[in-house]
Each structure stands twice: as structure tokens, then as C-alpha cells.
Amino acid sequence: MKQIRGIAASRGVAIGKLVLEKAPVPHVEKKKAENSAAELARFEQALEKAKKELSQLYLVAVEQVGKECSMIFQLHEMMLEDPDFLESVTGKILREQVCAEYAVWKAGKELSTVFSSLEDQYMRGRAADVQDICLRLLCSLDPEGFLCHARTVGEGEPCILALPQLLPSRIMRLRGDGISGVITGSGSRRSHSAILARILGIPAVVSTGPSFSALQEGETVVLDGSTGWICADPDQETLRRYRRRQKLAGEPSAALGNEQSPLRLLATAAAPENAQEALEDGAEGIGLYRSELLCLSTGEMPQEEEQFLAYKAILEHMKGKPVTIRTMDISGEINLPYLGVMEEENPAMGYRAIRFSLNHPELFRVQLRALLRASVYGELRILLPMVTTEQEILQAKEQLQQVRGELEAEKIPFHSAVPLGVMIETPAAALIAGTLARQVDFFSIGTSDLTQFATGADRANLRVAYLHDCHHPAVLQLIRAAAQAAAEAGIPVSICGEAASDVSLLGFFLECGVSSLTVPPANLGEIRSALQALQNFGDPQPLEEEEK
Ligand code: PEP
Ligand code: MG
């Protein structure tokens, strides 16, 4: 029995056979290329493929881990467009006449060494991102050769992955690879990978240091992500104890029941296909369908018919359960220059969401037409993002009324009473919630944006992540104020964004009279278990905490 200590990075117990990977990016031999032009063409093709994969991955990640954590994949896409990096790779191919694989590996190594040597901890963290994009390029260049790093390892038996460093793209694949826990040699609790592991609920211990080399492929390992303790080759008593703890903590899926919950549990969605996952995970509806993501997959504003088919599909999939579709939250973060949305200094506070829609009534009406046409296929609700004034709601209602008139004239069926709601995402909206509540049928409190604006801490900036805290009394007061205004107006309130998945806030939400939570489907099980514990024992902490 070997005991190793590391940093507790993502809580939970994992037990399984160890799968050992020696390096995040495998070494590539220097090989001369006969035809540099052909190598260059191979590299360019691989680059395009990698960029496409990243935009797909971003969409998947938004669903699983939320927008802020997914931005890392947008950053990776930008890194693949970095002129210095591209010049470094192509220069090696053309001047040194080496194969594309070696050029990518070498350029990546040089750049990650530069990042690793920087003083600033945040910038040092970029070295992992360089490695990540290099591995992606290598896999695109030679999927067979680099398959070992994308291998499916689980085959039914739970596995624990040990590797020197965990890259963000890799963590997104862990569940699919049958990995139930992660150990790394280096890294920190604040790294992107550790944050992703926590959101995905994968137990992880990082930074085991020199002890990492004591781990051996195939041995049984117990990992406790709450304390940072690892036991390789455990004795029967240790195994028994930790199996019991695992059981007490409960598999999220095992916690799914039909018991009456004091809060409706709804799922987020980015595409109609997400409905299946939401239903399997026990969602009682879709609380937030981010319709702007329709633009991301094509890079264009979808036509009315395309939008109608997407909305109809998700409504039909949900079989009469409520589906809240948010009108597009387009912003400078989504690069759509052809729509006049240019890069901005402060896209989060810029020309986005309802501001953009009201400035483009011709595009807004297309979306409203598609939504109303789809409304006859299920329980649609329409949600307006980033509202800060009553005037914006009145203008949106005017557009909606106009579209209703058009559809009536064209004899196109639609539901006449589709509920209209607003997102409460700014302190301004929360503070005038009483006025807003008189104009709408429901509120959805977007706690990620609300936290960023209340604390003045950019939700995507890891350097100020310690300030971006949804527990900040200011944020809680704003939530309470909005919920109270909703209660006075007799309209329901849903919580979405990061706070919705925070089980330690469940009691607070119940006390505020919140009626539903909207979370990524993967989080539904944990929240349901915590709600049950709260009802049974009055304690929102998961059972595993008791044994500490
Ligand atoms: C939020 O801001 O909390 C929210 C749910 O919206 P988004 O993550 O799409 O900005
Ligand atoms: Mg938001």
C-alpha cells in the first residue's frame, strides 16, 4: 500500500485501475520532408480541421461547463490564428525542411517554454494551452500516430488517469474515455483543468510532485479529491471504507427519483439534441436554450426556416415540458463582423443581447416569427437577455405584437399567450425588478453575469476569479431583491448561471421563494441529491462531507 499526497482539486472519491500517460504531448522525432510545399499544405489542412473541432468543442462545452469555462476553447482557436506561432511552424517547414509534425511540436515546445519561464502565474498557465493546441494539431496531422493520446481506456471498468499535466481539451473527453478520477504530477487548484474537473464532477488530485513517479500502470488506486490523498495498491480495509464513502456520496444518476422537489429542476441547452440528455438526467424542462449558439455553428445568422426547425425540434423532444428559449445574446465575444458586431473593449457590457436585437428589428422579427411558429409544438416561453430598462421590454413587446399581426394575416398558426420573461443579469435590472416584473410573466436570474457586474470582476478572467463570487453579500442581496419583486408581482423566478449549480445556496434560494433552477444536465443529479438531503436532514451538504 503506497500513500501519496497532492492538492485536493475536485472533490469526490474515485476507485479504479490506474492508466498512466507519460507526457501531455508525445515527443516527435525530427524528420526531413522531401516536399516542403506538400508539408505546408498538410499543416494548413490540419489547422483548419483543428479550428473546426474547437468551435464544435466550444458548443459542447458551453452545455456541459457553462460559457465562462468554455471560453478557453475560443482562446485556443485564437491561438491557432496567432501570426507568431504560425510563422514559427511554417518557417520550420520551409526553412528547415522538416515534416509538419516536427515543426508543430518544436514550435509548441519553444512557445510553451517561454510561457513557463514567466513570473506571472496566470501567464505560466498558458503553457498548458500551447501544449493543448499542439496536441490537437498533431492529432489532426496524424490521427493514427497520436491516437494513443485519445485512446478509450475504460472498457467498462472504472479507470483513474495519471498524467504529468492535464490539458483542458483532455478533461472534456474523460467521461467518454471511461475515466472516473484524475491524478496529475503538476498543476494547481486554480488551473483551468481543475476548474473544469470540478464542474464536470470528476474527482481530481493535482500536483503530487516527485511521488508521481511511484505510480504504476494497472495498479488499483483510491483517490480522495476532497483531501488530496491517494492510495495505490490499497488493503481490503481501505477499499471497503472508501467504497462505502462512494456509496454514501451516491452516483448522481442513482439519486434521480420522482419525489416531489421543492424546486423545479430545469436544464440548459445549446442545441435540440441536448433535449435527450436533459430528459435522461431527469430535467423537468429546458430553462435556458441559448439560441445565439445557432449562429456559432454556421458563423451566420440562421434564416427563419432554420430557426423554426431548431425550436420546433427541441419543443417536440421535450414532449410538452416547458422550454424557455432565450432570444439571441449576440455580442462582440461572438465574432460576427458581417452583422456589424465588431470586437469591443468590453463586449460583456457592450452592444449585445436585447440591445443588438432592438437595433436590428429585421433580424429580431425573424427570430420572433420562428419562435411563434414553433410555439404550437410544445410549451414555449420566450426570454429576453440583458434587459436593463422597462423601455426595452416595451419595445420587444411591440415587435412581438407586430409579428403576431403578420402571422395572423398569413394564417400561420401560433400560440397567442406564449409567456415572456426577462433575464435579471445586471444590478440595474435587479434594483428595478418591481417595474420590470409588471411587464413580464417570469424572471430568470442570470447569476454569472449578475455576479460579474455586481463584483466588477470579469467572469472569464482567472486573475480576478477570487472576486467573481456568487456568495458575495451584494450578489445575494440583488437576487433576494429580484425574487421579492417577483413574488410581489406574482410571477415565478428561475435561477440560472453558476450559482444555480451551487448546492450550498439551495437553502437561500428556497428561502427567497425561487421556483426553479436551470443547470447543465450533468449537474441535475447532484442538485437533486442535495435537495433530498436538505428536505430529509435540513443539511444541504452532500453526505460525503459528514465523514471528513
Ligand atoms: C448568466 O449570465 O448567468 C447566464 C445564464 O447567461 P450566459 O451564461 O449565457 O451569459
Ligand atoms: Mg448572461
Side-chain angles (χ1 to χ4, degrees), residues 154-224:
E155 287 171 17
E157 212 185 333
C159 286
I160 290 179
L161 181 68
L163 69 183
Q165 189 184 15
L166 189 57
L167 306 178
S169 302
R170 188 69 211 277
I171 196 135
M172 296 302 297
R173 284 204 315 264
L174 291 181
R175 284 254 184 263
D177 285 355
I179 302 288
S180 56
V182 176
I183 301 169
T184 69
S186 61
S188 83
R189 226 189 103 74
R190 288 179 61 200
S191 73
H192 232 102
S193 301
I195 294 170
L196 288 173
R198 285 199 284 282
I199 297 178
L200 291 167
I202 299 172
V205 176
V206 301
S207 195
T208 49
S211 329
F212 181 80
S213 56
L215 294 167
Q216 279 168 21
E217 172 91 18
E219 64 187 347
T220 300
V221 166
V222 174
L223 167 167
D224 184 347

Side-chain angles (χ1 to χ4, degrees), residues 62 66-68 268 288 290 292 326 329 333 352 385-386 423-425 444-453 459 495-499 518:
V62 166
K67 241 187 199 173
E68 44 275 29
T268 55
L288 176 64
R290 293 179 165 101
E292 68 277 7
R326 181 174 76 182
D329 187 350
E333 284 168 277
R352 68 175 273 202
M386 265 307 266
M423 291 201 70
I424 304 291
E425 298 182 279
S444 179
I445 304 184
T447 54
S448 303
D449 273 328
L450 186 61
T451 304
Q452 99 167 326
F453 296 126
R459 62 195 264 190
I495 302 282
C496 61
E498 63 198 45
T518 298

Side-chain angles (χ1 to χ4, degrees), residues 329-353 356 360:
D329 187 350
I330 285 177
S331 75
E333 284 168 277
I334 303 176
N335 199 6
L336 297 173
Y338 67 97
L339 283 178
V341 186
M342 306 308 286
E343 275 182 28
E344 291 181 337
E345 284 285 318
N346 270 317
M349 292 196 282
Y351 184 49
R352 68 175 273 202
F356 174 84
H360 286 273

Side-chain angles (χ1 to χ4, degrees), residues 494-546:
S494 186
I495 302 282
C496 61
E498 63 198 45
S501 292
D502 187 331
V503 292
S504 69
L505 288 174
L506 282 177
F508 169 72
F509 293 145
L510 285 169
E511 191 197 303
C512 288
V514 164
S515 51
S516 60
L517 297 179
T518 298
V519 300
N523 297 356
L524 286 165
E526 189 192 357
I527 295 175
R528 200 177 301 264
S529 307
L531 264 177
Q532 280 165 7
L534 186 64
Q535 278 178 297
N536 294 340
F537 311 113
D539 175 6
Q541 294 303 316
L543 287 170
E544 92 177 15
E545 297 283 328
E546 281 177 11

Side-chain angles (χ1 to χ4, degrees), residues 8 36 40 42-44 120 139 152 175 202 232 262 270 321 368 370 404 429-430 444 457 461 467 487 500:
S36 297
L40 195 59
R42 279 185 67 227
F43 169 63
E44 276 159 6
D120 184 310
C139 289
T152 299
R175 284 254 184 263
I202 299 172
K321 290 190 158 69
L368 295 177
R404 284 196 191 103
S444 179
N461 186 341
L467 285 172

Side-chain angles (χ1 to χ4, degrees), residues 222-294:
V222 174
L223 167 167
D224 184 347
S226 310
T227 59
W229 180 81
I230 297 162
C231 179
D233 194 16
D235 60 18
Q236 285 307 315
E237 173 51 24
T238 306
L239 264 182
R240 193 195 59 73
R241 212 156 25 95
Y242 276 86
R243 287 218 168 101
R244 183 160 166 271
R245 282 196 55 184
Q246 246 186 340
K247 200 160 159 244
L248 279 174
E251 290 296 316
S253 53
L256 283 181
N258 293 324
E259 291 91 312
Q260 198 60 38
S261 156
L263 284 171
R264 279 187 115 179
L265 299 186
L266 310 173
T268 55
E273 302 80 64
N274 298 137
Q276 191 52 32
E277 193 190 348
L279 287 172
E280 281 166 12
D281 288 327
E284 294 167 76
I286 299 293
L288 176 64
Y289 177 99
R290 293 179 165 101
S291 67
E292 68 277 7
L293 298 176
L294 281 170

